[in-house]
Amino acid sequence: MTKDVIALTPKMPDTWALLAGLYAGGPGVDIATAADGAVVQLCGPGGRPLVSVEAPVLVQVPGEALRLLGSDAPVPFWWTEARASTAVPEAERLAGSVCGRLSSLLGGTTWPPGTATTEVVDVSAVPAPADGQPAVDVLTDSTAVVLIDRPVVALTSWLSAVLRATSSAGRALQIVTPPHVRLSLPAHTTLARIPNRWVVQDPDCGYYDGLSGAVLRWQNGTFAPALTTDGRPTVAEAFADVSPSTEQQVVVALRTVRPADEHLVLGRALETVWKTLTGAPPAGWGTAEPVGLPWSPRQLTGLARDRAPEPTQVIAVGHPDRPAIATMRVIRTAAGVEEDVRLTLGYRADETPPLAAVEALAETLVTDHGLATMLTSLRRARRDLTTPPRLEAPPVPHSLTLGPDDVAGIGLTHARRPPVDVRPTQLGPGARPALHYPLGDGTDPRGREALNRITRHLEQVS
């Protein structure tokens, strides 16, 4: 497995501290930059990459180290990540020495515990070879494979860069982990997109897909489902042998459309949902994990304007006492500026999810934030919002809200009469209303069928 070592320091790693860390390999190491200077590589003889050191990230959001590493650090702190090549035994010790020197000079801690040293690692005898880089462990014509062993695979800036590189090269990204590893929600979303894959090592079947359970084999340069003689995939026993979770998640997926003008501030709809359902705004935001910036809709808006007309994707997280995470994609379209948001909140078995507040929330979003659609669901899954490589219950729909534009396009009369035993509530101005469809309490699976029937009905517009 790729050996990641992370220094969490209260002081910013300046040039001298970084140099002290980078020369942990002694005179046998060469230093090179990559990824537009954001990554520094330590190379052995012949230029073989041994360790990549990411640019330090300032984290000002409480709870991020605990969420991703399982051990907390007081904010603010600097997160400096060193990734060691799996092909060279000395690389892991070198990564530990790089981060150990940073924490020795600047204070703080390293993760995993016990990996930090300040020793000089002799790389002079490292064989020189092949191409490759610490970020990718196996590279074929169709696939880039990365081996990772850490508590939570997160959508870090490094993983985002690897994903962009593999996608532009027409390759799939496959991440291979031991069975104890989980995915953060942003990483889950990324690896759920075809052709990417989460590959889980298993002592019984070898490998299986962590999201579908399909048993996998290495075939023609990629991990692919192992099919039976009749062409069907098989499901790993480890994936299916689970008990339903007693914890719960509320999932709110919404889309807003607002006119594009100089007064538009993005993130207000997400902030309204967050405050209504948790009592507080988001704690922080960023473009990758760990999330480092305190919540600021105006800064978020500035980033989106700088990137326009390209889309902007960001992550928002909540305070440590209420697990909450959202992904948001900002898109400029002919209709204006769209915000696609997916917010997930975690609850213990003895907590009551705030579903009773959803209808009033929908009214506020329609009136003040240009709501186009909103689907609220409940599912039995981990409160910490990570995804284990196990079968999980799908969300059960609780309610659907259709904004005024869609209602007008479909026709109010048709939209108000779905072929189910529910009647929607009108929201917003009477002359141009939105419709809110209750689908159940979020625990009755019949809510899925009700949603399907309403959707089919709304699509049948003459």
Side-chain angles (χ1 to χ4, degrees), residues 282-301:
W285 74 286
T287 57
E289 297 176 283
V291 171
L293 298 170
W295 176 247
S296 172
R298 294 198 175 277
Q299 289 183 0
L300 191 162
T301 303

Side-chain angles (χ1 to χ4, degrees), residues 137-150:
D137 296 283
V138 178
L139 190 66
T140 71
D141 289 342
S142 64
T143 305
V145 179
V146 177
L147 313 180
I148 299 179
D149 185 0
R150 57 201 295 176

Side-chain angles (χ1 to χ4, degrees), residues 315-342:
I315 301 165
V317 296
H319 298 271
D321 59 344
R322 168 54 59 213
I325 190 165
T327 55
M328 184 172 81
R329 188 166 190 257
V330 181
I331 316 164
R332 178 66 187 270
T333 68
V337 178
E338 296 187 7
E339 296 175 62
D340 286 317
V341 175
R342 185 179 178 89

Side-chain angles (χ1 to χ4, degrees), residues 86-122:
T86 55
V88 181
E90 291 86 350
E92 181 182 353
R93 292 171 49 221
L94 181 56
S97 184
V98 169
C99 290
R101 289 170 175 230
L102 290 179
S103 59
S104 177
L105 287 170
L106 305 172
T109 60
T110 59
W111 180 92
T115 55
T117 71
T118 56
E119 65 181 354
V120 174
V121 180
D122 182 10

Side-chain angles (χ1 to χ4, degrees), residues 176-264:
V176 182
T177 74
H180 63 264
V181 172
R182 292 165 281 123
L183 302 182
S184 72
L185 278 178
H188 178 172
T189 300
T190 297
L191 292 176
R193 296 175 185 151
I194 295 174
N196 303 324
R197 193 184 293 278
W198 179 21
V199 181
V200 180
Q201 294 177 325
D202 181 71
D204 295 325
C205 70
Y207 300 93
Y208 68 90
D209 189 300
L211 299 180
S212 72
V215 175
L216 304 173
R217 295 287 182 270
W218 183 254
Q219 308 171 52
N220 301 317
T222 192
F223 283 100
L227 304 179
T228 61
T229 53
D230 58 358
R232 297 180 180 180
T234 55
V235 175
E237 290 186 8
F239 181 81
D241 185 19
V242 294
S243 300
S245 175
T246 59
E247 298 177 329
Q248 300 179 94
Q249 295 176 3
V250 171
V251 183
V252 182
L254 63 102
R255 181 171 63 91
T256 65
V257 182
R258 303 298 300 274
D261 61 50
E262 68 273 17
H263 302 297
L264 176 64

